[in-house]
Amino acid sequence: LLCATVSKGVPLCRDLFPPVLVSKMLRTLGKRLASCARPARGLRSVHATSAALTNYKPNASHRNTDENNEKTMFDFTEENYERVELILGKYPDNYKSAAIIPLLDLAQRQHGGWLPLAAMDKVAKIVETEPMRVYEVATFYTMFNREPVGKYFIQLCGTTPCMVCGSGEIKKTIEGFCGIKEG
């Protein structure tokens, strides 16, 4: 965790929360401190913008690279266009957007395990919706990779219930056995 220090070594963690939430928490903290009869020792004032307190970069933001930018081309193969038609045939014409997830999956499989911006734009054209609707789906589901991944892509749940059940030990075992580290 990256932490900022607020007087006398009290850490304020930056990468756990979105900037809006950090700002709200700081405003609440400032109000509570101001209403106290005795202010907290060593804390003179609390003021910061969310940008100053966080390195938060939402997963939804697109970062142009040589292999993934607005100029990158993507089109389904002839074989996959047949699959596109089969997928679209499962849904009524007025519900084409219901096919976004299977079409994104098809595009990701065709493109070597990840979704370039051009593939998401192609899916948007096929289902006749705004590209942002497709981006929303692609960023919400962890099954879609928006950056290139290795040949073997290992995901491990890190939620509290999974950690209680031993996901940390599983992670250490995988890292030790495979000789790899997170990231």
Side-chain angles (χ1 to χ4, degrees):
L1 297 176
L2 298 175
C3 294
T5 302
V6 179
S7 185
K8 301 285 182 176
V10 179
L12 177 67
C13 295
R14 303 186 297 181
D15 284 345
L16 294 178
F17 307 105
V20 173
L21 185 58
V22 171
S23 291
K24 186 175 181 180
M25 290 181 341
L26 284 174
R27 281 193 303 273
T28 304
L29 176 64
K31 288 176 186 176
R32 287 190 180 165
L33 288 175
S35 67
C36 291
R38 281 188 355 217
R41 289 174 49 172
L43 186 62
R44 291 181 292 277
S45 67
V46 177
H47 173 77
T49 63
S50 57
L53 289 174
T54 182
N55 287 335
Y56 177 75
K57 303 272 189 289
N59 289 335
S61 64
H62 173 73
R63 293 168 206 90
N64 281 334
T65 63
D66 292 340
E67 65 225 356
N68 191 13
N69 56 56
E70 292 82 18
K71 296 176 184 175
T72 306
M73 301 299 293
F74 175 86
D75 202 4
F76 286 108
T77 62
E78 290 297 323
E79 182 181 327
N80 280 342
Y81 266 119
E82 292 173 14
R83 290 183 177 143
V84 166
E85 293 305 319
L86 285 172
I87 291 168
L88 289 175
K90 295 179 182 180
Y91 305 98
D93 288 339
N94 57 336
Y95 288 104
K96 284 183 179 181
S97 62
I100 290 175
I101 292 175
L103 291 176
L104 285 173
D105 182 55
L106 182 63
Q108 181 169 281
R109 290 172 190 267
Q110 177 180 315
H111 203 266
W114 68 284
L115 279 171
L117 194 61
M120 292 185 271
D121 290 340
K122 186 66 173 181
V123 169
K125 284 183 185 176
I126 290 172
V127 299
E128 299 171 0
T129 190
E130 302 85 24
M132 181 52 72
R133 298 286 176 218
V134 177
Y135 303 159
E136 289 170 346
V137 172
T139 58
F140 180 78
Y141 292 101
T142 57
M143 65 187 271
F144 297 119
N145 304 307
R146 291 173 295 110
E147 295 176 350
V149 294
K151 183 177 179 182
Y152 302 104
F153 184 64
I154 301 170
Q155 287 182 304
L156 185 65
C157 181
T159 62
T160 303
C162 290
M163 292 178 84
V164 168
C165 291
S167 67
E169 293 151 17
I170 293 170
K171 178 182 168 186
K172 286 178 187 174
T173 303
I174 291 170
E175 289 177 343
F177 181 79
C178 297
I180 58 175
K181 294 289 179 195
E182 184 177 349

